[in-house]
Amino acid sequence: MPRRSVLVGGLGLAGCATSRENGASLVMGDLPPKGQTGTSQSVMLSGADETGTHFVAVRACQYPEAGVTWLWCTVATPQGLYQFSSNKLPWQGPALSPDEAGMAIYRAQSSEADAKFVRTGTLKAPQRTELSARFTAQGQGLRPSNRVRVSLVAEFEPLSGYAGLLTGRTEAFGHAEFVLNIAGKKVVFQGPSQFHEQTQTEARFVTPFIFSSLWSKDLFSTLLIAPPNGGGYVINEGRPSPVSLPKAELTQTESKFTFTEGRVERSIVLETRFAYQIPIYGALWQGRFVKGNVFGKAVVGMVNSWLF
């Protein structure tokens, strides 16, 4: 897992839809309270098929000192978008795993959702991740009387990775197989995927950001815009290349990025396949499943934005 430091440069943002007004009426009941510091550890597995027809993203973040776990589950298929999110599940352990541990387990559980991640290998060199999850889909037009039960299992194996973009964070890219059950109907797909873990003590979700994670068979990329910093990388056929000066223009239908890679100005346009929102601290986190091309290679992935 090569370590690199992010290159810092000027930032430019244009046309980024704001979530401040839309989120103003949301309940400010998330735990821990906004701005509170304390050790936390997040984990996420996301993946898609190569055509961008099916997507899965499951994220858990545990705050042992506050006694709470956040859990977000999103599944997108041609039949619909199925989502669960809660930022106040009771923390039930296990305790935070040290970076050098050869295995880590993450668990989030409530009456409406349950997720378990098992990562083998160390934080900086993961070897395999298994995920099992179930949830009752909520929101996105589903009536309380017609909510859908969703379950899934996934197996992820990394091909490339990167550590050092953010302190305490490792990102691994590779291949995953997903088996879903949506309201009793089985759906199976496989394709490029991404897994990340991050430990930090700073308060989460207090800094605006735009983040993209893109995947294919042999090209993977992360771009991060978080004023006053910005950067990222592209791993092309196993060779990582730092990226600087990222800029973004987000609309409902597409995401445009420009950046400098190897002293060359690059630009990419990503089509929004599915869009969704998650309420956090009275605002709306914006999520997008996307597909497009990077350096002439077809990619799928995610573009997320917060407070833009």
Side-chain angles (χ1 to χ4, degrees):
M1 306 284 290
R3 295 189 67 89
R4 295 288 195 277
S5 296
V6 66
L7 296 183
V8 177
L11 302 173
L13 300 170
C16 298
T18 178
S19 62
R20 299 176 194 271
E21 293 184 3
N22 294 337
S25 62
L26 298 174
V27 176
M28 300 284 288
D30 295 346
L31 298 173
K34 184 178 181 180
Q36 180 174 310
T37 60
T39 304
S40 61
Q41 200 166 34
S42 64
V43 58
M44 183 172 185
L45 178 64
S46 48
D49 56 22
E50 294 181 2
T51 64
T53 304
H54 299 83
F55 289 85
V56 167
V58 179
R59 178 188 186 273
C61 185
Q62 52 182 346
Y63 301 85
E65 296 165 14
V68 67
T69 297
W70 290 20
L71 177 62
W72 305 347
C73 305
T74 306
V75 170
T77 76
Q79 287 68 48
L81 184 70
Y82 307 94
Q83 183 180 358
F84 172 89
S85 64
S86 175
N87 295 342
K88 55 177 62 177
L89 296 183
W91 178 67
Q92 300 175 345
L96 298 179
S97 301
D99 292 356
E100 64 275 10
M103 174 181 288
I105 297 175
Y106 299 84
R107 188 70 184 266
Q109 189 172 23
S110 75
S111 61
E112 288 198 322
D114 189 340
K116 182 180 181 181
F117 296 83
V118 179
R119 182 260 294 154
T120 54
T122 64
L123 172 68
K124 296 177 183 178
Q127 298 174 354
R128 181 182 179 86
T129 299
E130 297 177 356
L131 166 65
S132 59
R134 61 166 183 83
F135 62 94
T136 300
Q138 57 184 206
Q140 299 294 128
L142 294 175
R143 297 179 180 177
S145 60
N146 193 33
R147 291 186 174 183
V148 177
R149 295 291 290 172
V150 179
S151 64
L152 66 96
V153 293
E155 296 183 356
F156 167 79
E157 294 186 358
L159 299 173
S160 294
Y162 199 101
L165 179 64
L166 294 172
T167 301
R169 182 182 177 99
T170 295
E171 298 182 342
F173 302 89
H175 181 87
E177 297 183 358
F178 295 88
V179 179
L180 311 178
N181 187 301
I182 302 174
K185 182 178 180 179
K186 186 177 181 180
V187 179
V188 180
F189 71 93
Q190 58 183 338
S193 185
Q194 184 252 19
F195 171 76
H196 87 247
E197 287 180 86
Q198 183 177 357
T199 301
Q200 69 180 62
T201 56
E202 296 83 1
R204 291 180 182 259
F205 294 99
V206 294
T207 302
F209 66 80
I210 296 174
F211 173 87
S212 78
S213 179
L214 305 175
W215 336 304
S216 73
K217 289 182 178 180
D218 57 4
L219 184 145
F220 311 99
S221 174
T222 289
L223 298 174
L224 175 64
I225 298 171
N229 300 323
Y233 58 88
V234 176
I235 302 174
N236 192 1
E237 297 181 355
R239 297 185 297 273
S241 178
V243 161
S244 62
L245 302 175
K247 302 177 183 179
E249 181 180 347
L250 308 184
T251 68
Q252 292 183 340
T253 59
E254 63 184 18
S255 303
K256 299 179 181 179
F257 287 89
T258 59
F259 55 89
T260 300
E261 184 266 338
R263 296 185 179 181
V264 177
E265 294 292 329
R266 307 279 192 178
S267 62
I268 59 176
V269 178
L270 306 168
E271 171 196 351
T272 299
R273 299 288 292 164
F274 303 91
Y276 60 101
Q277 300 172 329
I278 296 174
I280 307 173
Y281 295 131
L284 290 173
W285 179 95
Q286 307 284 345
R288 304 166 182 83
F289 293 125
V290 300
K291 66 177 297 185
N293 285 273
V294 177
F295 300 175
K297 296 183 178 181
V299 298
V300 290
M302 304 177 68
V303 174
N304 304 325
S305 59
W306 169 243
L307 298 181
F308 277 108

